[in-house]
Amino acid sequence: MTISAPVGAAPQSGSTTKRSFGKTPDGQAVDLYVLTNKNSAEASITTYGGALVSLKIPDRNGKLADIVLGYDNVDGYVADKSYFGALVGRYGNRIGHAQFVLDGKTYTLAKNNGENSLHGGVKGFNKALWTAKTVSAKGGQSLELSYVSKDGEEGFPGNLNVTVIYTLTDGNALQIEYSATTDKKTVVNLTNHAYFNLAGQGSGDILGHLMVINADKFNPVDAGLIPTGELRDVAGTPFDFRKPTAIGARIDQADEQLKLGGGYDHNFVLRMPKDHGESLAARVVEPTSGRVMEVWTTEPGIQFYTGNFLDGKSIGKGGATYPKRSAFCLETQHFPDSPNQPKFPSVVLNPGERYHTITKYAFSVEK
Ligand code: BGC
């Protein structure tokens, strides 16, 4: 979308600034980078966990609001168990029984979610300190983050060199580009765990947001939220978001899968274009503010999570609290438990190959 500068106003140029965000418990300095585009939209990213700390986007009247959940300083992120805004890896989502086999060798991970491994383990990429540098971008502001995950870290094989580039475009999109290389065969599934509330963080529940997910099928799960392996048709189920539907319209229905998730907490199988370019995965409209978010991605799946485990106990930005279902996540990814599901698209990365995915959250307004 194009936003023209107000008549008479000088066109603004974007900027990127850096400030301290505090220190890790072991005394390392943590920074916050603030990317501002030509329209004054703003994305703040911290080197701790590479987390998206805030995202200020205009509503239909041009009024900015911060539309992601987060904390005011690094201490919140150190204590966080919800992955607010974080970069998630080495394996985003769950791996069943916290183990997988590669070339006949069994790799054992920490069971940090019941019997399973979740989001990379006890100290995933969300708890790592990333190295940041600003990079030039055409039509926006970019920040490059990098992290080297050592061979054996959290049980995963291979030294993994990871680079993530966040770009806030002048067209009000936040693009996240993920790259990785390894020196040993490994598994990789990177994502961002932003919790969105398009009416503004801390402003209540997200049940009235209208959701479209471009998926004909989803992954039903077991009690540990591990996919059963079936790709189930969404038709005739509360998982059919092919037409705009309020998130809350069916969330409390007596549906076995909704009960297992405590709401939506499922991977949707995206309709992929044949050229494997970016496809429109989801479109969300928040009727009161008019804010619209489209999610474009090269990934085959998207985890739609409705903040069912949020409990309102942690204190967020500006003193906000975040009760159950006060935000939703749309985590672009390969399917959960892929290392143990030979029929799912592969998450294996070999030496000499480059893992490369792009996800874009594009914002506009509806009048
Ligand atoms: C998972 C949820 C989990 C949340 C926070 C989501 O990706 O699907 O089950 O509670 O992350 O860890």
Side-chain angles (χ1 to χ4, degrees):
M1 110 178 165
T2 338
I3 295 187
S4 39
V7 181
Q12 295 178 313
S13 60
S15 66
T16 298
T17 59
K18 173 183 153 180
R19 66 173 173 83
S20 168
F21 200 48
K23 284 194 165 129
T24 61
D26 59 353
Q28 299 186 74
V30 177
D31 294 324
L32 184 75
Y33 285 83
V34 181
L35 282 52
T36 309
N37 74 7
K38 284 186 176 166
N39 316 311
S40 305
E42 189 192 284
S44 303
I45 295 142
T46 173
T47 50
Y48 188 84
L52 175 67
V53 170
S54 73
L55 184 59
K56 294 181 184 164
I57 297 293
D59 68 5
R60 64 163 68 90
N61 300 314
K63 192 166 171 271
L64 294 174
D66 183 358
I67 58 159
V68 293
L69 275 47
Y71 305 100
D72 283 326
N73 56 48
V74 72
D75 302 346
Y77 291 89
V78 170
D80 171 79
K81 291 193 169 56
S82 307
Y83 301 81
F84 283 173
L87 293 180
V88 179
R90 178 178 307 202
Y91 195 91
N93 216 313
R94 292 175 173 82
I95 297 180
H97 302 292
Q99 64 176 39
F100 62 95
V101 178
L102 265 187
D103 287 344
K105 188 168 181 314
T106 301
Y107 293 92
T108 305
L109 314 169
K111 292 181 175 170
N112 65 334
N113 189 246
E115 280 301 293
N116 305 317
S117 164
L118 176 65
H119 294 331
V122 176
K123 186 174 185 285
F125 293 3
N126 59 307
K127 300 289 183 193
L129 196 56
W130 294 66
T131 303
K133 72 170 187 209
T134 53
V135 287
S136 67
K138 250 195 245 152
Q141 302 289 314
S142 284
L143 182 72
E144 181 182 297
L145 297 174
S146 50
Y147 175 63
V148 181
S149 169
K150 292 262 159 57
D151 186 9
E153 184 180 282
E154 290 293 330
F156 292 97
N159 290 296
L160 189 76
N161 274 286
V162 188
T163 303
V164 175
I165 302 175
Y166 279 102
T167 302
L168 179 65
T169 75
D170 288 329
N172 288 0
L174 182 71
Q175 177 174 296
I176 314 178
E177 185 175 354
Y178 305 82
S179 308
T181 54
T182 184
D183 59 4
K184 257 188 211 166
K185 191 170 187 171
T186 190
V187 295
V188 189
N189 193 28
L190 306 178
T191 194
N192 176 281
H193 210 299
Y195 284 71
F196 296 98
N197 184 327
L198 300 184
Q201 64 105 23
S203 72
D205 71 57
I206 43 75
L207 300 175
H209 286 55
L210 300 174
M211 176 68 71
V212 171
I213 304 178
N214 271 325
D216 301 311
K217 293 179 187 292
F218 74 106
N219 296 122
V221 292
D222 66 15
L225 300 185
I226 299 293
T228 60
E230 178 193 351
L231 304 185
R232 188 175 291 174
D233 284 338
V234 296
T237 78
F239 292 80
D240 190 347
F241 281 98
R242 293 174 296 180
K243 297 211 173 79
T245 309
I247 292 176
R250 301 161 301 185
I251 200 167
D252 289 321
Q253 279 183 8
D255 173 90
E256 178 227 1
Q257 283 297 318
L258 286 174
K259 280 192 192 146
L260 289 169
Y264 296 100
D265 195 352
H266 295 76
N267 181 67
F268 286 69
V269 178
L270 295 172
R271 289 185 199 141
M272 297 283 287
K274 287 208 176 61
D275 64 3
H276 294 288
E278 286 162 58
S279 66
L280 179 62
R283 185 172 194 273
V284 197
V285 178
E286 199 289 300
T288 58
S289 65
R291 285 191 191 86
V292 178
M293 179 172 84
E294 287 183 354
V295 185
W296 292 79
T297 189
T298 56
E299 289 280 24
I302 196 164
Q303 183 86 4
F304 175 40
Y305 169 56
T306 41
N308 313 312
F309 296 115
L310 294 175
D311 60 9
K313 283 187 189 149
S314 50
I315 306 293
K317 287 178 285 187
T321 54
Y322 305 127
K324 182 174 172 182
R325 297 182 182 160
S326 58
F328 64 90
C329 302
L330 286 168
E331 304 152 50
T332 55
Q333 58 177 9
H334 272 54
F335 308 170
D337 198 30
S338 294
N340 295 310
Q341 302 264 3
K343 290 195 178 141
F344 289 179
S346 172
V347 289
V348 172
L349 183 70
N350 290 295
E353 293 173 349
R354 179 171 175 247
Y355 171 96
H356 183 233
T357 70
I358 299 177
T359 292
K360 199 195 288 176
Y361 298 93
F363 297 93
S364 59
V365 291
E366 266 183 16
K367 293 291 169 195

